[in-house]
Amino acid sequence: MGQKINPLGFRLGATQGHHSLWFAQPKNYSEDLQEDQKIRDCIKNYVQKNLKISSNVEGIARIEIQKRIDLIQVIIYMGFPKLLIEDRTRKIEELQFNVQKELNCVNRKLNIAITRIVNPYGHPNILAEFIAGQLKNRVSFRKAMKKAIELTEQAGTKGIQVQIAGRIDGKEIARVEWIREGRVPLQTIRAKIDYCSYAVRTIYGVLGIKIWIFVDEE
């Protein structure tokens, strides 16, 4: 049967870079990995707490972490950095303090920067959050998927595939529904494809959202 591989890992070194850049000895590797996860979770929780109620989208496309001996550099790519732009320095300092407390890193400096991305809906994470918000508000899943596809087409992508799995619309039997627009060449390594999988908790149970976006060909 068709074996599926994560499109990001499949393209590492060709069109895709790593989201964490650091070097560790084998015995410290797992600790560093968990530390990365802690940083990402801490940032996401902080952004969620300080969200305006109007939009459910956090707008974090990705979080990149670079580590040196005495410095941890974190770059947050955001689609809607409004949450952190009002009194920006104070918010970032508070976030830095939170993360440092979580990590209790004494001898390393933590540096957090926020970068704005141009077409937020061209990024699968932000799109998945948008769909998740719609599904939580009991919008029919087809409507949500079509709306998401419209938003990506405005962002100027070449193709998109959206898949939702689980108890869709609260039906007893779980199923998988998907929809594709444009072309999504998953086998072509040259093709730059952005991917994310996202779990959304609805009142019926957990739904899984997967999004593949074909950005362009190298």
Side-chain angles (χ1 to χ4, degrees):
M1 298 294 289
Q3 308 299 333
K4 303 205 177 24
I5 183 168
N6 187 318
L8 302 181
F10 186 49
R11 287 172 174 73
L12 270 182
T15 56
Q16 184 67 32
H18 291 271
H19 289 177
S20 294
L21 292 172
W22 40 265
F23 183 81
Q25 297 298 337
K27 61 175 190 286
N28 305 334
Y29 185 84
S30 56
E31 285 171 22
D32 275 16
L33 203 58
Q34 283 163 339
E35 192 176 70
D36 272 14
Q37 196 54 47
K38 267 187 197 160
I39 293 175
R40 291 199 166 99
D41 289 346
C42 189
I43 290 173
K44 279 181 185 157
N45 291 343
Y46 178 80
V47 172
Q48 236 161 5
K49 265 184 209 150
N50 294 324
L51 263 186
K52 303 282 176 290
I53 286 97
S54 58
S55 74
N56 294 343
V57 183
E58 292 169 32
I60 298 179
R62 64 181 189 278
I63 298 171
E64 285 187 2
I65 300 174
Q66 298 165 7
K67 291 184 189 170
R68 302 196 204 124
I69 296 172
D70 53 351
L71 176 75
I72 302 177
Q73 169 80 28
V74 180
I75 305 170
I76 308 173
Y77 290 88
M78 292 190 82
F80 316 102
K82 285 196 190 73
L83 335 161
L84 297 169
I85 274 186
E86 300 148 12
D87 48 312
R88 182 167 185 163
T89 43
R90 192 182 65 82
K91 284 265 175 79
I92 290 183
E93 273 167 20
E94 194 183 336
L95 180 56
Q96 266 175 345
F97 178 71
N98 283 2
V99 175
Q100 247 157 348
K101 200 166 72 177
E102 183 78 21
L103 293 181
N104 59 48
C105 55
V106 187
N107 46 8
R108 283 189 299 182
K109 200 164 158 266
L110 182 77
N111 195 356
I112 295 182
I114 291 177
T115 309
R116 182 163 183 199
I117 49 180
V118 190
N119 292 327
Y121 288 115
H123 286 262
N125 287 57
I126 295 175
L127 214 57
E129 278 167 13
F130 168 77
I131 295 178
Q134 299 274 312
L135 291 175
K136 277 182 186 159
N137 298 339
R138 302 209 195 170
V139 175
S140 97
F141 74 96
R142 278 223 170 79
K143 217 175 199 172
M145 293 202 312
K146 293 225 170 91
K147 182 80 180 113
I149 283 178
E150 271 173 37
L151 287 170
T152 22
E153 278 173 352
Q154 288 162 12
T157 53
K158 291 193 174 175
I160 171 176
Q161 179 174 331
V162 182
Q163 175 181 309
I164 300 180
R167 291 186 57 184
I168 300 172
D169 291 341
K171 296 266 166 57
E172 292 281 307
I173 292 179
R175 64 185 201 276
V176 177
E177 290 281 346
W178 60 274
I179 184 170
R180 186 193 297 141
E181 197 71 43
R183 48 188 283 261
V184 184
L186 295 179
Q187 296 287 301
T188 318
I189 299 182
R190 273 202 323 264
K192 182 157 172 40
I193 286 192
D194 234 348
Y195 164 81
C196 94
S197 64
Y198 189 90
V200 46
R201 291 195 172 83
T202 62
I203 47 176
Y204 312 114
V206 180
L207 296 182
I209 303 174
K210 285 184 179 176
I211 298 182
W212 294 261
I213 293 180
F214 175 31
V215 187
D216 65 339
E217 210 150 341
E218 294 287 306

